[in-house]
Amino acid sequence: MSEESETKGKQELVKVTIDDQTIEVPKGTTLLHAAMKLDINIPTLCFHESLPPQGSCRVCVVEITDKTGKWTWIDASCVYPVSEGLSVQTQSPNVIKHRRAIIELLLSRAPKSEVLLLLAEKYGANPTRYTAIDKGEANCILCQLCVRTCNEIVGAQAIGTAERGLHKKVISPFSIAKENCIGCTACIHVCPTGAIVAKLGKESFEIEDWGVDLKMATCSCCDKPFAPTVHLEKLKSQVNLKNQLWEMCPECRRSANKVGTPYSPII
Ligand code: SF4
Ligand code: FES
C-alpha cells in the first residue's frame, strides 16, 4: 500500500485539552464526546446518543480558547467539532455564569421541571428570575427530542411542533391524534424534562395533550394490560416471532420462553 493511501485509510487525530487533561481524538469528534472520554461531566438536555446533536438547549456550553491562546469564546460542546490545539474549560466562572443564565431562561418555559430545578440548585440559578410562560405545558423546553425520535427513529411521524415564539408547542398534527401513534412511549423515554404524561389504564393508553387514546392488549396468561394493540401489530409486521408470544406480557413471555414450557424458545 502506498504511503498516500495508507494515510487516507487512517483517521486524522487532533489534540485537545479539556480541564487541563489532554486527549487525542479523531478530527470531527465533538467537544462533548471528547469530554466524555475523559470522564468529564458536562450537563446536557437536548442531546441523545441515538440522534445527531442539534445544539438547542445550550446547557452544555463550555469556554474554548484557540491554539494561539488569543481568542476565547463560549459555545455548545455537543455540536462543536474538535480541532487541533483547542483548550477547553467546562467549569470556569464564565461557563457557570452563562449556564446559570441559560437555566434561568429554560425555567421560564418549564418552571416545574425537576431536572431544571436540580440544575438551578447546582449552578446557583434563580428559578424565578423570569416570568414563567404558563401555557399549560409547564415542563416542555421545546428541545424536539420527542419529535425527532418519533420521526427519525420510530418512523411514526405522530407529533410535530406548531405555532411560533412563546406559543410554540409539541402537538399531534392539527391537535388530532394521528392514527400513526403506536403508543411505543419512545417520546416519553427521551424527554429530558418529564413533560409527556401518559395514563395507562386497563383498557387504554392515553396522552391527553396529544389526543392519543389507544386500546390496550391484555396478557393471555395473567390478564394484565401490557401494550397498545397497534404497537403489537406494528412489531408483529416487522419481526418474525412466534405468534403466541405476542399475546403475553414480558414477564409471562420470559417464563414461557424457558425450555420445558408449552411454548418453544425464541431463537
Ligand atoms: S416534550 Fe420533552 S422531548 Fe418533547 S420537546 Fe418538550 S421537552 Fe423536548
Ligand atoms: S445538550 Fe448541547 S445544546 Fe443541548
Side-chain angles (χ1 to χ4, degrees):
M1 195 189 286
S2 73
E3 204 176 305
E4 196 190 340
S5 54
E6 209 173 318
T7 320
K8 270 187 193 164
K10 281 186 198 159
Q11 268 186 314
E12 189 183 340
L13 296 177
V14 290
K15 259 189 206 155
V16 57
T17 303
I18 307 177
D19 292 349
D20 302 325
Q21 296 185 65
T22 300
I23 187 171
E24 248 187 353
V25 289
K27 195 175 178 184
T29 304
T30 62
L31 284 178
L32 179 66
H33 276 123
M36 282 173 175
K37 279 184 197 288
L38 289 168
D39 280 333
I40 293 171
N41 180 40
I42 298 175
T44 62
L45 289 172
C46 71
F47 170 79
H48 195 283
E49 280 292 351
S50 310
L51 288 162
Q54 56 179 344
S56 73
C57 76
R58 316 306 281 186
V59 292
C60 68
V61 287
V62 291
E63 187 168 359
I64 307 167
T65 302
D66 75 344
K67 65 179 174 193
T68 67
K70 282 186 189 160
W71 304 100
T72 296
W73 64 98
I74 294 281
D75 221 319
S77 59
C78 69
V79 283
Y80 202 94
V82 167
S83 58
E84 182 63 36
L86 290 184
S87 171
V88 177
Q89 294 296 317
T90 70
Q91 297 288 343
S92 66
N94 206 9
V95 169
I96 303 298
K97 187 180 85 182
H98 280 80
R99 211 171 272 161
R100 192 183 294 143
I102 288 159
I103 294 165
E104 287 170 349
L105 283 167
L106 290 171
L107 272 163
S108 71
R109 202 171 258 287
K112 294 180 193 156
S113 160
E114 274 179 35
V115 69
L116 280 177
L117 289 169
L118 283 172
L119 283 171
E121 203 179 310
K122 182 168 177 187
Y123 291 101
N126 175 357
T128 54
R129 180 169 315 273
Y130 302 106
T131 312
I133 305 161
D134 188 5
K135 307 181 279 82
E137 311 130 32
N139 274 334
C140 178
I141 56 165
L142 293 172
C143 72
Q144 303 241 33
L145 275 184
C146 56
V147 175
R148 295 175 69 213
T149 300
C150 184
N151 294 345
E152 296 167 36
I153 298 178
V154 180
Q157 295 174 326
I159 47 173
T161 48
E163 306 198 28
R164 290 179 181 195
L166 295 183
H167 304 290
K168 190 168 176 179
K169 57 186 173 185
V170 175
I171 54 165
S172 48
F174 306 106
S175 297
I176 301 165
K178 278 184 93 179
E179 54 201 30
N180 315 30
C181 178
I182 54 168
C184 68
T185 70
C187 55
I188 297 173
H189 289 289
V190 295
C191 177
T193 58
I196 309 165
V197 182
K199 275 195 247 160
L200 183 61
K202 172 119 177 103
E203 304 276 314
S204 68
F205 169 89
E206 262 185 86
I207 301 179
E208 209 175 322
D209 285 345
W210 300 341
V212 169
D213 190 356
L214 302 172
K215 190 171 174 294
M216 291 294 287
T218 48
C219 175
S220 59
C221 279
C222 68
D223 207 30
K224 195 171 75 178
F226 70 101
T229 43
V230 279
H231 189 192
L232 293 176
E233 289 307 321
K234 170 107 177 167
L235 292 176
K236 251 198 254 183
S237 68
Q238 289 179 342
V239 189
N240 183 23
L241 282 183
K242 294 188 190 309
N243 264 346
Q244 70 266 40
L245 292 171
W246 291 106
E247 292 158 15
M248 289 185 274
C249 70
E251 292 79 29
C252 294
R253 205 179 302 151
R254 267 193 290 276
S255 47
N257 197 26
K258 284 181 191 142
V259 179
T261 65
Y263 299 103
S264 331
I266 301 169
I267 308 295

